[in-house]
Amino acid sequence: MGRNTRQRTAIRRAFEHAGRPLRPRECLELARGEVPDLGIATVYRNVNALVDAGWLRVVELPGTPDRYETAGRNHHHHFHCRRCDGVYEVETCPGGFAAMAPTGYRVEDHDLILYGVCRSCVG
Amino acid sequence: MGRNTRQRTAIRRAFEHAGRPLRPRECLELARGEVPDLGIATVYRNVNALVDAGWLRVVELPGTPDRYETAGRNHHHHFHCRRCDGVYEVETCPGGFAAMAPTGYRVEDHDLILYGVCRSCVG
DNA sequence: CCTTTGATGAGAACCGATTATCGTTAAAGC
DNA sequence: GCTTTAACGATAATCGGTTCTCATCAAAGG
């Protein structure tokens, strides 16, 4: 998928190092540690390219713009911190949601989001 | 909360009759059955007023603009149809989500969204 | 029925997020 | 190194959703 620029490397590293879903703006700030004059347009361009390439996955949460996380991991959910607005991975999933829908509905998938205060904000 | 206009009545009836969360545009189309030249600005004005008055509740779902549903009902979740984009209420909730978060995280609330095909789309 | 004034409708303005433009920069192959 | 051209950075443009503006309309009380 094209050239290996310093920028793309820094963007990839930002996601790998963060270990949680990032918004383009968050990714920009993290990646600027490596490439100080990185532009937001480049982040959008690369994030889209990395999604197309299957390296990133879109994380949609209620009431906020899209976040992105590295792809290829197991089924999981997310915790959304009300204090810092950060999103973290939650590895467990109770499952068994298909039975919840009214009869006649075909359940194909589900999303589960926990809200509260993350460890660093609880302090 | 102000005057009882034909418009506000039609908007309220749209939510009551629909029995599911509506987007402003959906509400507009339904309420136009009663007030044909209803304007979208009036829908937004009244929806906001009804939310402030506690008569409507905001329903935020991933990847789509806000929907609204009549307030004061029990804890429940939603089913999002991939075919018609409609959202329906799901009355059951397994509960016990607080234990899912990593240690140190304080869970205060949760959202659960089922995705698939609704009864009318399954046909 | 008349008056007052809050509500409405149409469309302009706004908003934050994302995408497109375009001159410049720097990977990558020779 | 030199050349080619994909990628970059800055910023303008766009986008869908929502709010604002203002002249007009119609609730509600007298």
Side-chain angles (χ1 to χ4, degrees):
Chain A
M1 59 170 295
R3 294 178 179 175
N4 266 351
T5 62
R6 296 177 306 124
Q7 289 88 345
R8 172 165 305 173
T9 303
I11 288 164
R12 260 199 288 240
R13 273 208 266 261
F15 284 104
E16 282 168 340
H17 182 260
R20 60 185 181 87
L22 298 178
R23 300 170 52 170
R25 199 59 54 103
E26 292 177 286
C27 172
L28 175 70
E29 270 138 39
L30 289 176
R32 274 186 171 162
E34 200 171 328
V35 180
D37 51 1
L38 181 63
I40 185 68
T42 300
V43 173
Y44 277 102
R45 261 190 302 253
N46 279 284
V47 163
N48 287 337
L50 290 166
V51 168
D52 292 347
W55 196 88
L56 280 180
R57 213 180 70 82
V58 182
V59 176
E60 293 183 333
L61 297 178
T64 86
D66 290 351
R67 285 172 168 81
Y68 303 87
E69 67 182 7
T70 53
R73 53 181 70 196
N74 294 335
H75 176 75
H76 64 275
H77 294 296
H78 296 99
F79 179 99
H80 193 161
C81 178
R82 289 198 165 117
R83 206 167 294 179
C84 70
D85 200 40
V87 172
Y88 303 90
E89 188 172 325
V90 171
E91 293 181 18
T92 49
C93 175
F97 297 126
M100 284 177 60
T103 48
Y105 285 59
R106 183 163 74 229
V107 178
E108 298 172 341
D109 203 353
H110 66 272
D111 262 355
L112 174 57
I113 305 105
L114 304 183
Y115 297 94
V117 185
C118 75
R119 189 179 321 176
S120 15
C121 285
V122 163
Chain B
M1 61 170 293
R3 293 179 179 173
N4 266 352
T5 61
R6 296 177 305 123
Q7 289 88 346
R8 172 165 305 172
T9 303
I11 288 164
R12 260 198 289 239
R13 273 208 265 261
F15 284 104
E16 283 169 339
H17 182 260
R20 61 186 181 86
L22 298 178
R23 299 171 49 170
R25 199 59 54 103
E26 291 176 287
C27 172
L28 175 70
E29 271 138 38
L30 289 176
R32 274 185 171 162
E34 201 171 327
V35 179
D37 51 1
L38 181 62
I40 186 69
T42 299
V43 173
Y44 276 103
R45 262 191 301 252
N46 278 284
V47 162
N48 288 336
L50 290 166
V51 168
D52 292 347
W55 196 88
L56 281 180
R57 213 181 69 82
V58 182
V59 177
E60 294 184 333
L61 297 177
T64 87
D66 289 351
R67 285 172 168 82
Y68 302 87
E69 67 183 7
T70 53
R73 53 181 71 198
N74 293 334
H75 175 76
H76 63 275
H77 294 296
H78 296 99
F79 179 99
H80 194 161
C81 178
R82 290 197 165 116
R83 205 166 295 178
C84 69
D85 199 39
V87 172
Y88 304 89
E89 188 172 324
V90 171
E91 293 181 19
T92 48
C93 175
F97 298 125
M100 285 177 61
T103 48
Y105 285 59
R106 183 164 73 229
V107 178
E108 298 172 341
D109 204 351
H110 66 271
D111 263 354
L112 173 57
I113 305 104
L114 304 183
Y115 297 94
V117 186
C118 76
R119 188 180 321 176
S120 15
C121 285
V122 162

